[in-house]
Amino acid sequence: MATLLKEIVDHLNAEPFHMNLTLVTFDEKQPIELLETLNAILVHLDGKKHEVDVREENQDNMYVRMAGFLHVIGCKANYDEEFQKSFVAGDKRTLYPIIHWLLSDLERLRKRAYLAHYLVPIDVPPEFLGDEAMMEMYQQYKGLQAQFKSNHQALEQAKETSTNPSELR
């Protein structure tokens, strides 16, 4: 646990957070402060969607927002009722591993959060897909997702193979 705590504090003191924490000050954070720290990380990953004052936000809404996002970006957790209770209570045993996981791979998760906006499938009830116009629109949506995925992969390959202009000097 001490190693985990040290790594968390090191990440939070570095770019882009600059929280100027010590092991003691981080470990002494109140539950609501831990939730605020988690929220600050989520803001970095996904921007405006998470720019919420967690002190003012309804606990159920906060859980749905945060846990939903964590699930989408691949955070492995048991999202059951016990997890929800400890999460909204700001329990260190629940939040420390999540914070550590997020901070350990921040840039990859930021990219995953960006892609999730476009690639997380929309659940359309089967009875709506029986309508021809709705089915056509859904197929168009799936086609646009595939096109986005293809374009994004091409962009990533171009970034990997191209030379940075500042390196040409």
Side-chain angles (χ1 to χ4, degrees):
M1 185 70 134
T3 305
L4 179 86
L5 203 59
K6 182 172 179 356
E7 289 178 18
I8 290 171
V9 170
D10 288 345
H11 284 292
L12 291 174
N13 287 337
E15 274 291 326
F17 303 107
H18 301 290
M19 290 191 176
N20 200 25
L21 299 166
T22 66
L23 291 172
V24 174
T25 57
F26 181 74
D27 197 43
E28 289 177 346
K29 280 188 177 282
Q30 296 299 312
I32 191 70
E33 294 173 315
L34 279 179
L35 288 167
E36 287 176 328
T37 301
L38 173 59
N39 199 61
I41 297 166
L42 299 184
V43 166
H44 175 75
L45 292 174
D46 197 32
K48 300 225 182 274
K49 178 182 176 184
H50 298 285
E51 287 182 354
V52 177
D53 184 352
V54 294
R55 292 177 188 267
E56 301 294 324
E57 187 176 23
N58 173 287
Q59 283 189 340
D60 290 337
N61 293 344
M62 177 191 63
Y63 176 76
V64 168
R65 176 179 58 81
M66 288 182 170
F69 178 72
L70 290 170
H71 179 72
V72 164
I73 62 171
C75 182
K76 302 289 185 231
N78 185 6
Y79 295 94
D80 61 5
E81 191 174 325
E82 184 179 323
F83 175 80
Q84 180 177 354
K85 285 179 183 176
S86 65
F87 187 95
V88 297
D91 185 349
K92 293 176 182 184
R93 294 176 307 239
T94 301
L95 296 182
Y96 280 8
I98 293 170
I99 291 171
H100 181 264
W101 179 77
L102 290 168
L103 294 171
S104 296
D105 206 0
L106 207 55
E107 287 313 306
R108 185 184 66 80
L109 292 174
R110 190 169 189 184
K111 180 189 254 182
R112 183 176 268 188
Y114 166 76
L115 293 173
H117 285 287
Y118 305 102
L119 299 178
V120 169
I122 296 173
D123 291 328
V124 180
E127 59 269 15
F128 290 120
L129 293 177
D131 179 43
E132 191 176 317
M134 182 62 88
M135 179 56 108
E136 186 178 311
M137 191 174 291
Y138 187 72
Q139 293 302 327
Q140 182 181 7
Y141 159 75
K142 292 305 250 178
L144 289 170
Q145 272 189 324
Q147 184 180 357
F148 173 82
K149 197 181 293 186
S150 173
N151 289 342
H152 181 73
Q153 287 173 344
L155 175 67
E156 289 299 311
Q157 288 175 346
K159 282 181 182 178
E160 289 175 13
T161 59
S162 67
T163 305
N164 186 346
S166 64
E167 294 174 0
L168 294 175
R169 293 180 186 201

